[in-house]
Each structure stands twice: as C-alpha cells, then as structure tokens.
Amino acid sequence: MGDERREFDVIVIGAGVSGIYQINRLVDAGFDAVVLEADDDVGGTWYRNRYPGCRFDSESYTYGYSFSKELLDEWHWKERFSPQPENLRYLEYVVDKFDLRRHMRFGCRVERMQWHDDERRWHVSLTNGDEHVARFVVASVGPISRPIIPDFEGRDDFEGAAFHTYDWPKEPVELAGKRVGVIGTGATGIQVIAAIAPEVAELTVFQRRPNWSSPLNNSEISDEEMADIRSRYDEIFAACAASNGGFVHTPIWGFWDKTPEERRAIWDDLYTQPGFAILAANFGEIFLDEDANREVSEYIADRIRQRVDDPAVAEKLIPTDHGFGLQRLPLETDYFETYNRDNVQLVDVSEHPIERITATGIQTTAGHHELDIIVYATGFDVMTGSFDRIDIRGVDGLALKDKWADVTTTYYGLLSARFPNLLMVAGPQSVSGSTNFPRAIEKGADWITDLLEHARDRGVDRIEARPEPEQEWLDDVVTAHERLLFRRSKGWFTGYNPNLPGRGEGTVRYHAYFGGAHRYAKKIDDLAEAGYPGLTMSTSDELIP
C-alpha cells in the first residue's frame, strides 16, 4: 500500500456479501472508512468457492441486495438458484455500480488487532507488516470462511492434486479421465459429487455420516418471469422479513389435524417445489414434535430409496442419527441418482475408517483406493472460526479466542464485552446462521451504521457491551435453541465438529439465534429505539448515559 494513509474512522474486515453492503452504508453516512480484504478481489464465499456445482440454495431474487431499486431493476437473475460464477459477477457489478472499490484494499490479511484504551482506537496489523488504525472496526469476516481439513496421517504424502472445496483452484481442474476421491457428504460435498460424477473416470465418495437432502428443483428465469419478480420485490422482501428463516416460504401448522394420507399429499407437492419448500413450508411441528419429525423423516427416506437402485447403498445414504431438518439441510440435483452410475463408489468410513493418505490415494481399514485427485469437502470452523484466525486483543489484552473458548457470549451477535468499538456483521448468536444470509446482514449492517451515527452525533468515541445484558442474550439464545429438536444434533447448529479439539460429541456451542429472524429484527430495533441499553458509551472525558 506504499505511502497511503492508514488511519480511518472505521475499518471493515472482509469484502464479501456483508462487507460490501457495510462499506456502502458507511460511505453513504459520511464515514471515512476502508475495507481490508485478504483475497485479491471482492466476493468472499463466492470468490473462494469455485467448485463445480456451487450455487445458491436460496432463491436468487431473495439473496440479492434489497437497498437499491435501481439495482433491483437492472439485474436479471438467470436461474432460480444462481451458480457461483454468476453470483460473483453480481457482487462485482454491485461494487462497480456504487464505486466501492476505491474504499477497498485487497491482499490485506489481518493478523492481529489490539485495542488501545488510552487512544480509544484499534491497531490493526496485517501479515505483510503494515498497520492501520481506526476508531471502530466492523468484522464482516463471514460465518463460513475458515475451512477445516482433518489431520489425516500422511496427508502431505499424496502426489496428486488435493484441495479443500473452499480452495478450489481458479484455473480449470482437469477432471476428465481422472480417479477422484471426495471426502465428505455435507452441503458442499453433495453439490460437487453430483456435478463431477458424469465427467470423471472414477469417483469414490468417502462418507462418515450421511445427511438428509432434498431436491433443489432449479430452473431458468425467463424475461417474463423476471419482469414479474421485479414488480413484486416489495412483496417478496416483506415475506422474507416476516418469516423465521428469511425465505419466501412460511410454515403451516396442524400436523395432527391431517390424516397420514393428507400429510403425504402435502409432502408430495412440497418435494417438487423449488428450494427449501419441503423444509420451510412444511408443518412447524416437525421441528418440535418427535413423532411428527419421525414421520416426515420416513417419508424422505422412502424418497431416497425410490431414487437409488441398490437397496444397500440407499440405506447407507439415509441418516439414522438425526431426523429430517434437524441439521443444515443440503439441497441437491440428481445427487442420489449419482450412486446409480457405474463409475461411482460409496465408501462408508464409519465402518471402514480412513487410516492414512498415501502417495497414490487413500488407505481405509478395508483396502486402498488409487486416486489422482482428492477433494476435501470437510466443512468449516463455523461462526467463531473466522474470528479465531485473527489474534484479537481487547481490554487488558484479553484474547477474543480465549473469551469464547468455552462459551460464546455476545450482545445480540453485534458486540462483545471487553472488546470496545468492535462491531460484528453476522456475528455469533445473531441470525446469520439461521436465516437467508443477505436478509440478516442488511439488517445487521443497518443497525451498526445507525449506532455509529448515534455515537458520532453525541461525540461518543468508546462503545462497549456490558456483561450482564450479554448474559441475558445468551440465555435467550439458549432458550430458543433448546426448544427445538435439533438441540442435540451433531452438526454446526450445535457447534459439533469432531475435526476440532473440544467440539466432539457431548459439547454444545450456541452459534446462532433460532427464535426467528423477524423476532430478532424487532429485538434489535427496540434496542436502538430505547437508546441502546446494555451498551456503555463515553467520550474521552465523560460518561454518556
């Protein structure tokens, strides 16, 4: 960055979906702000995840930004669930349209942040040795941006190409004629497996635990349909705002008022509808009532059996450790039919664990699999992991990673006690992990910008959450979480990740608020209207009540 100025009102970390919107709001509000982005360009998750099959599982027109009518009128979504290349083009278009690149610095990976109470400023250090200073920092680091690869013995011995899906190469990967192994069958694995199976010579899928999955039912969006969507954007975004999950789908109730035949007819219809209809437009009781969930789970299991030719393989693809919808639900296109192909083999590593990676493939307890490429679809250190990779030091040098080591505590996912002037878009215990992401981040970034304007108007230069209200919010998060059936499921909703120390079975981390996006929005709106109770605000020489 040479001799460029390095002191700002606000530093935003990350130029993904949330960082783009946050810098736009800050600039419009008159703040001297900059975005520090580790990658070479904008996009965040849509810049990084270039693997085949990567696309939205939210309807495209509900994922885009809602803040500009001109943008809504100009952009034509080509598919109901848009693929990664188009999503990246969309974000680039937004950045260029609103002239945001001049407020962004690329290739700037933040290594350390130190709060200086005497200055009331953050000192932000980069891996290249540069340092920047700001009164406020907004972390827009993304809840799913720290990939995890299990520490398999011999992982570095493999002589072929190997990469996590998050780090899929920018250059085209030659798959034709290759023997490919994919480790993992979560949301990412399900997408990439179905996409590459027709292209590769042999595909070996290493599955530890199957996930429920249902059809994406994607389709193109015609000019006529897009014109209709544009005419209904207000209605569409209002529906998203009113729903628990930020989608256009709303649940129905009265599971036990219907006969089994009537329920099955409803599910037959939902199964053919696009996106999360089978999840989010289903009976609300399936998330609360074990018998209701057991019945819908058996329905989805029957659907899987109908789509997989080999009954033994079908049973291996049906989860037995959790019910339908009780972990993050992947959406798929011909995923189950993939296992009917002659060139696809499913390896159950719960029965035959991976012993080691070799120079030429993967050794399990049942034998050796010769491979040319290994794809790690092994997930992420969700929500807190993207914060943990930065050494963030608050009051008296407290490390945020240490504060969150056992129990994550935040003030509505927006601030955290003992870390003054650090704000979070899509932070832990917000609704970013439980709702349609852009709908959550627009609300969060708007709230943060309003708070900073409130502070500027009053000469406030230090804002800190108090521990007591933070604990009260944790109690609310736990209450909302514990009423749902997924409260003990082995997924990132509960912080479960056997690839990370201390995150195995029997541990629970409350990562997100599951009380509903509309309830969360009202809660934080009420905080703002009441003058931000729970926050201590002060100038350099006096306390602001």
Side-chain angles (χ1 to χ4, degrees), residues 281-450:
N282 209 320
F283 293 99
E285 287 93 338
I286 69 171
F287 304 105
L288 302 167
D289 185 311
E290 290 186 3
D291 290 334
N293 185 268
R294 188 177 300 111
E295 186 175 317
V296 73
S297 298
E298 189 54 38
Y299 170 84
I300 301 296
D302 284 343
R303 282 289 197 163
I304 295 171
R305 294 182 183 108
Q306 293 167 17
R307 295 172 58 184
V308 180
D309 294 341
D310 186 332
V313 173
E315 294 306 315
K316 289 184 180 297
L317 295 169
I318 297 171
T320 58
D321 64 345
H322 67 284
F324 177 74
L326 304 187
Q327 289 182 190
R328 198 280 197 210
L329 179 69
L331 300 181
E332 48 81 20
T333 301
D334 296 330
Y335 172 68
F336 295 106
E337 288 78 6
T338 296
Y339 294 96
N340 299 332
R341 299 180 60 90
D342 292 337
N343 68 328
V344 177
Q345 177 187 8
L346 179 65
V347 175
D348 185 347
V349 298
S350 66
E351 292 182 1
H352 304 292
I354 295 173
E355 290 186 326
R356 63 173 290 115
I357 310 296
T358 71
T360 59
I362 295 178
Q363 177 72 46
T364 73
T365 57
H368 188 265
H369 299 269
E370 295 285 330
L371 301 170
D372 302 306
I373 300 173
I374 296 176
V375 178
Y376 293 97
T378 46
F380 297 83
D381 185 355
V382 177
M383 300 303 292
T384 55
S386 51
F387 290 87
D388 289 350
R389 73 192 306 173
I390 303 171
D391 184 10
I392 302 175
R393 303 278 173 163
V395 174
D396 297 327
L398 174 65
L400 184 60
K401 184 175 183 178
D402 291 341
K403 179 185 175 181
W404 288 351
D406 297 320
V407 179
T408 308
T409 54
T410 70
Y411 180 78
Y412 294 84
L414 296 161
L415 300 96
S416 195
R418 301 189 69 186
F419 293 84
N421 294 11
L422 173 61
L423 302 117
M424 300 175 285
V425 181
Q429 298 170 347
S430 67
V431 290
S432 63
S434 61
T435 191
N436 189 3
F437 187 65
R439 306 283 62 81
I441 64 96
E442 281 191 335
K443 186 64 183 177
D446 287 344
W447 192 92
I448 286 170
T449 305
D450 291 346

Side-chain angles (χ1 to χ4, degrees), residues 9 20 44 53 64 94 132 144 213 216 261 265 315 382 385 421 469 492:
D9 296 337
I20 290 169
V94 172
H132 304 271
I144 306 179
S213 189
L216 181 66
E261 293 74 21
E315 294 306 315
V382 177
N421 294 11
W492 73 258

Side-chain angles (χ1 to χ4, degrees), residues 5-11 34 119-124 131-137:
R5 185 173 49 83
R6 294 177 180 149
E7 185 163 345
F8 302 90
D9 296 337
V10 188
I11 289 174
V34 67
E119 301 176 19
R120 299 193 167 202
R121 283 177 171 80
W122 282 98
H123 286 237
V124 179
E131 182 175 272
H132 304 271
V133 178
R135 180 74 67 195
F136 298 95
V137 172

Side-chain angles (χ1 to χ4, degrees), residues 109-146:
R109 181 172 294 282
V110 176
E111 181 176 48
R112 180 181 173 86
M113 289 171 46
Q114 178 71 57
W115 170 252
H116 288 244
D117 221 9
D118 55 339
E119 301 176 19
R120 299 193 167 202
R121 283 177 171 80
W122 282 98
H123 286 237
V124 179
S125 302
L126 308 184
T127 54
N128 65 5
D130 286 348
E131 182 175 272
H132 304 271
V133 178
R135 180 74 67 195
F136 298 95
V137 172
V138 179
S140 297
V141 292
I144 306 179
S145 60
R146 187 180 183 184

